[in-house]
Amino acid sequence: MDRETLARLARLAQLELTPEEVGPALDDLNRIVALIDEMRAVDTRDAAPLAHPLDADQPLRDDIVTESVDRETYQDIAPATREGLYLVPRVVE
Amino acid sequence: MNGDESIAALRRGLLDRRYSAVELTERSLSRIDTANETLNCFITIDPDGALAAAAAADSRIARGEAGPLTGIPLAHKDVFCTRGIRTTCASRMLANFIAPYDATAVSRLAHAGAVCLGKTNMDEFAMGSSNETSWFGPARNPWDPGRAPGGSSGGSAAAVCAGLVPCATGTDTGGSIRQPAAFCGVTGLKPTYGRVSRYGMVAFASSLDQGGAFARDAEDVAALLQVMEGHDPLDSTSTTAEPTAFDGSGSMTIGLPGEYWDDLDADMGAVLDDATRELEAAGHTLKTVSLPHTTAAVPAYYVIASAEASANLSRYDGVRFGYRAESPDSIDDLYRRSRAEGFGAEVKRRILTGTYALSIGYYDAYYLQAQRVRRLIRQDFLDAFDDVDVIAAPVTPGVAFPLGAVTDPVAMYRQDVFTIPASLAGLPAMSLPCGLLDGLPAGLQLIGPHFEEGRVLELGAEYQRRTDWHRQRPHIIPLDTGGPGEVSNAV
């Protein structure tokens, strides 16, 4: 992994790395990539991907309304709100 | 009452009115007050809530309406949402987060009468094996405060070990209950994936995360599991399987995976050989089994867990809850700086690793390959369980290491080499104390087939009736200190 790849990943993950963080992060991530590369040699031709450890399907509940939105409670813990809306920096000029 | 009684003994003491729930809670609070400065195992202590819950427990007992855990002090890992008490996940991101609801495990334990004393320290977002990634500083191992209590549920393990509470909750994604249980010399169970509802458990890796418990022995852990387990309509991955059955351990065949034992350090190997010989002496048969894909487990886990983490942690955006950077000048600046300042280095490494594994050009080679390896690892266990009832294994390669000793993230990841395979396979697995090495506890891992927690717990309880490793305590905080003298002399 090089600096360019790391910058792209950071952008995708909405993470900002300071110039001082980039070097150590690259070292660590390259060690981690070397670790995860160890499983690439395993012969998995006959193994289907397993997403759920019990190999179970996602059950679906009945399609009925079960929750009411308690906006006041949920917005109590928001960093900034006004009149029931979440405040963020201006997005549309 | 000396701080080292079983849940059953405390329950008898409460029902016989030898002490009240309020006295028991005051005693726990006093011990926490004495010990927490050294051990840092609690992030938040809730004396008012605990005393109110204890008073309610005393009323229930007086009315003859005691539940299975009425009046029993307990601590929750700070990954479980608790209404009205902050849930930090040991992250700056959630340092002031107060959940508007209780996790299902929390509400079930409260309904059974348990008294919550507070929230325990952990690795940030449960990512770590030493507690050192906590924003609040690491919890410390009561056997030697210069050493790690393990992670991620290190605060819960340390609090039970030091006798601050008789039991605590934890979560285990790749070993986060079993490894700290081994490092601190307490008993810890990771149930089958889906046994305990994940509702209200802050998500790390959703196909692996599983709630469980720490206590002084297997019987106490079983008592907690019976309250925590069961289907929850609020978590669609929670199981509809029958509750854990306890039908006597009988004579079992116990599998010893060659791949785990071959590379084991000689001292740890000798301790574990003693433990398995004890199981043999109890009438069980030992049999070597093979789990051929073991070495691929740690790499596959760090792809899957990191990929799921990168998706789960995308919710922390500085908008709806959690940390927000000062004076953002655009929405992207708000996202990026809130996340950069709110997450610690290990969490960022996992998010970046997961983003890499899921990105175009790498998805097949990493994410899909890891999921295929996961199937092979699960099949290894299913094949082994054709021949044996339970698998016995080490929990950790060594005993608790000094804080600051493991600085390479990959070396830290490899600490979980013996716990990760059962996590990938979704199996129930328990850690129980089985010896001391240089004065520090070592753990024996018992792994069962899916939904066979009962078998694992009964075998563990049988082992603990024959040994006293689970009763060894470091006595860093003498067990008879703390609390009113009249109460400590009551038993």
Side-chain angles (χ1 to χ4, degrees):
Chain A
M1 188 182 295
D2 53 22
R3 278 169 187 269
E4 204 173 304
T5 311
L6 178 59
R8 185 173 60 86
L9 293 175
R11 209 165 43 245
L12 284 170
Q14 294 282 20
L15 281 172
E16 196 173 74
L17 296 177
T18 63
E20 305 82 65
E21 285 176 318
V22 169
L26 257 186
D27 287 348
D28 289 338
L29 285 165
N30 274 311
R31 276 200 291 270
I32 294 168
V33 171
L35 169 78
I36 63 180
D37 275 341
E38 288 174 20
M39 57 140 212
R40 293 179 69 179
V42 178
D43 181 352
T44 57
R45 272 171 298 183
D46 298 328
L50 180 72
H52 185 292
L54 304 177
D55 216 3
D57 291 329
Q58 179 68 37
L60 299 175
R61 67 170 175 84
D62 293 335
D63 187 15
I64 48 169
V65 176
T66 56
E67 248 179 286
S68 56
V69 177
D70 183 356
R71 187 166 67 184
E72 214 165 286
T73 305
Y74 298 152
Q75 291 201 332
D76 260 359
I77 52 175
T81 58
R82 195 166 66 211
E83 293 166 21
L85 303 172
Y86 292 97
L87 295 188
V88 295
R90 181 177 291 278
V91 177
V92 181
E93 291 301 331
Chain B
M1 185 163 68
N2 68 4
D4 202 26
E5 298 89 349
S6 69
I7 291 175
L10 291 172
R11 187 173 151 76
R12 269 195 308 277
L14 287 165
L15 296 183
D16 294 349
R17 315 290 168 88
R18 273 177 283 153
Y19 37 79
S20 67
V22 167
E23 285 170 320
L24 207 52
T25 295
E26 282 171 343
R27 189 170 183 294
S28 258
L29 286 169
S30 162
R31 288 184 62 77
I32 293 167
D33 196 44
T34 308
N36 203 47
E37 199 177 327
T38 307
L39 298 178
N40 196 30
C41 47
F42 279 84
I43 290 175
T44 304
I45 305 162
D46 180 28
D48 295 344
L51 288 168
D58 282 329
S59 308
R60 265 175 91 171
I61 292 167
R63 292 197 304 272
E65 294 169 2
L69 298 174
T70 297
I72 304 295
L74 160 145
H76 287 299
K77 182 180 183 180
D78 209 13
V79 73
F80 286 99
C81 286
T82 45
R83 183 166 47 199
I85 309 168
R86 68 175 176 161
T87 298
T88 71
C89 239
S91 180
R92 186 185 193 190
M93 184 61 84
L94 292 176
N96 297 311
F97 172 66
I98 297 178
Y101 58 90
D102 280 331
T104 297
V106 168
S107 57
R108 285 190 183 185
L109 286 161
H111 184 73
V115 173
C116 172
L117 276 286
K119 310 290 290 290
T120 59
N121 205 348
M122 54 185 280
D123 282 293
E124 184 180 6
F125 283 102
M127 297 174 188
S129 309
S130 68
N131 234 267
E132 291 166 291
T133 72
S134 170
W135 168 251
F136 300 92
R140 290 165 178 276
N141 193 317
W143 290 84
D144 174 355
R147 289 176 188 267
S152 66
S153 315
S156 286
V160 171
C161 167
L164 310 188
V165 280
C167 53
T169 55
T171 58
D172 190 313
T173 304
S176 283
I177 288 175
R178 290 161 285 161
Q179 187 248 22
F183 275 13
C184 291
V186 298
T187 304
L189 173 76
K190 178 200 95 75
T192 305
Y193 178 79
R195 246 316 174 204
V196 172
S197 168
R198 291 187 295 111
Y199 180 75
M201 241 170 71
V202 178
F204 159 17
S206 302
S207 80
L208 293 152
D209 294 344
Q210 176 55 210
F214 295 92
R216 62 195 284 289
D217 62 29
E219 287 186 22
D220 281 4
V221 168
L224 295 163
L225 175 66
Q226 287 176 292
V227 170
M228 294 170 75
E229 70 178 351
H231 180 66
D232 176 10
L234 299 173
D235 170 10
S236 64
T237 62
S238 78
T239 183
T240 53
E242 290 294 306
T244 300
F246 298 91
D247 44 17
S249 60
S251 179
M252 293 192 207
T253 305
I254 298 170
L256 308 179
E259 292 80 1
Y260 288 46
W261 296 79
D262 290 350
D263 294 334
L264 206 54
D265 170 82
D267 292 343
M268 184 62 88
V271 166
L272 283 155
D273 283 342
D274 285 347
T276 53
R277 265 197 295 274
E278 190 62 46
L279 294 171
E280 200 173 25
H284 305 293
T285 307
L286 304 182
K287 181 177 181 178
T288 301
V289 293
S290 178
L291 301 170
H293 297 94
T294 296
T295 54
V298 171
Y301 172 86
Y302 276 94
V303 172
I304 292 167
S306 302
E308 293 183 13
S310 74
N312 272 325
L313 272 63
S314 64
R315 76 191 62 181
Y316 301 103
D317 57 5
V319 174
R320 290 154 303 151
F321 58 93
Y323 179 82
R324 165 179 270 199
E326 291 280 342
S327 317
D329 59 22
S330 69
I331 188 76
D332 282 328
D333 184 46
L334 167 64
Y335 293 151
R336 286 184 192 150
R337 277 202 296 122
S338 297
R339 290 164 64 79
E341 295 165 17
F343 291 139
E346 179 58 26
V347 172
K348 289 180 196 169
R349 274 194 288 274
R350 306 261 185 133
I351 291 173
L352 290 167
T353 304
T355 306
Y356 181 64
L358 292 174
S359 57
I360 293 169
Y362 298 100
Y363 182 86
D364 287 8
Y366 288 120
Y367 188 62
L368 279 184
Q369 171 72 354
Q371 286 193 317
R372 292 178 200 276
V373 169
R374 186 176 194 179
R375 181 174 297 278
L376 294 174
I377 287 166
R378 176 175 181 269
Q379 193 58 47
D380 286 352
F381 279 106
L382 298 184
D383 292 345
F385 284 127
D386 282 342
D387 293 329
V388 299
D389 301 301
V390 170
I391 287 172
V395 183
T396 56
V399 292
F401 46 82
L403 289 165
V406 183
T407 52
D408 172 9
V410 170
M412 189 68 87
Y413 296 174
R414 291 197 195 276
Q415 291 290 322
D416 296 332
V417 58
F418 300 129
T419 50
I420 277 175
S423 295
L424 287 170
L427 299 165
M430 177 167 61
S431 171
L432 51 163
C434 71
L436 291 172
L437 268 176
D438 303 326
L440 295 165
L444 168 71
Q445 184 175 200
L446 297 177
I447 304 168
H450 293 122
F451 301 115
E452 294 291 351
E453 285 85 351
R455 194 186 290 176
V456 168
L457 286 162
E458 281 178 322
L459 184 61
E462 184 184 25
Y463 176 79
Q464 290 180 330
R465 283 192 293 275
R466 299 173 64 94
T467 59
D468 68 353
W469 297 115
H470 60 293
R471 292 202 198 92
Q472 309 286 324
R473 288 289 174 267
H475 294 283
I476 177 176
I477 301 119
L479 283 167
D480 53 359
T481 59
E486 192 187 311
V487 175
S488 16
N489 295 330
V491 176

